[in-house]
Amino acid sequence: MTFKRLTVVLLACLTLSACGGVDPNSPLGQRKAIFKQMLKTGEDLGGMLRGRIPFDGAKFAEGATRLDALAHQPWQHFPSVREEDHTSAKDDVWQKQAQFQQLARDLEAATGELVIASQVLPYKASNLGPAVQKVEDACSACHKQFRDH
């Protein structure tokens, strides 16, 4: 699935879920807010590489660092048992915790590699593109297994 298509699906899900009045202080509300920030940041980085947004190396590097910080945050907001609220998370999140946590670590590693790639000057799409793709692939892998689209 392309990043653009994944983005559209994620935005649609976020929009529809916002209608339910999720408590922003609940674990569900907190992780949704983080995922929304991750999506926006990732869209900006991808947009710079794909020419949708003018490329700015310093802003790209800041975005990579922001995305890396965000990538470490949502996991703490998955309680040990499934919430009663309707979420996009499949039951497998709680039933296959080891796999879920591994995919979370894979995303964290990918965003860390993106930060490193974003520090190499001069900025080149040939350096940044594969690192962005690895982040997108990590997101997609987790969504395919653990997210109810």
Side-chain angles (χ1 to χ4, degrees), residues 1 15 17 21-22 30 37 45 48 84 88 112 119 123 131 147:
M1 179 179 282
T15 302
S17 66
V22 174
Q30 291 179 359
Q37 291 174 47
L45 297 176
M48 281 189 219
E84 303 247 343
S88 297
Q119 295 171 349
Y123 297 110
R147 190 159 190 272

Side-chain angles (χ1 to χ4, degrees), residues 106-123:
D106 292 348
L107 174 63
E108 293 169 356
T111 59
E113 291 174 23
L114 177 61
V115 169
I116 292 168
S118 72
Q119 295 171 349
V120 175
L121 299 176
Y123 297 110

Side-chain angles (χ1 to χ4, degrees), residues 1-12 39 43 149:
M1 179 179 282
T2 66
F3 184 69
K4 187 174 182 178
R5 197 178 291 162
L6 180 65
T7 300
V8 170
V9 170
L10 187 57
L11 282 175
L39 177 64
E43 283 180 333
H149 296 279

Side-chain angles (χ1 to χ4, degrees), residues 14-138:
L14 287 172
T15 302
L16 290 174
S17 66
C19 298
V22 174
D23 176 3
N25 295 316
S26 70
L28 175 59
Q30 291 179 359
R31 70 180 185 254
K32 280 187 173 210
I34 294 166
F35 285 136
K36 188 175 182 178
Q37 291 174 47
M38 289 172 68
L39 177 64
K40 170 68 172 121
T41 304
E43 283 180 333
D44 289 348
L45 297 176
M48 281 189 219
L49 287 181
R50 293 173 179 100
R52 190 174 36 83
I53 299 172
F55 185 83
D56 180 320
K59 285 185 181 179
F60 189 96
E62 288 172 18
T65 300
R66 185 177 328 109
L67 186 59
D68 184 48
L70 288 166
H72 289 79
Q73 296 177 20
W75 323 118
Q76 65 188 333
H77 300 291
F78 281 90
S80 58
V81 295
R82 185 177 176 91
E83 305 101 332
E84 303 247 343
D85 295 328
H86 174 72
T87 74
S88 297
K90 292 181 180 179
D91 288 337
D92 284 354
V93 167
W94 292 273
Q95 295 169 358
K96 298 178 180 178
Q97 261 300 297
Q99 282 181 292
F100 180 70
Q101 291 299 324
Q102 182 57 55
L103 290 175
R105 300 300 79 80
D106 292 348
L107 174 63
E108 293 169 356
T111 59
E113 291 174 23
L114 177 61
V115 169
I116 292 168
S118 72
Q119 295 171 349
V120 175
L121 299 176
Y123 297 110
K124 294 181 182 179
S126 60
N127 290 341
L128 300 172
V132 168
Q133 187 63 54
K134 190 168 184 177
V135 170
E136 292 172 357
D137 291 346

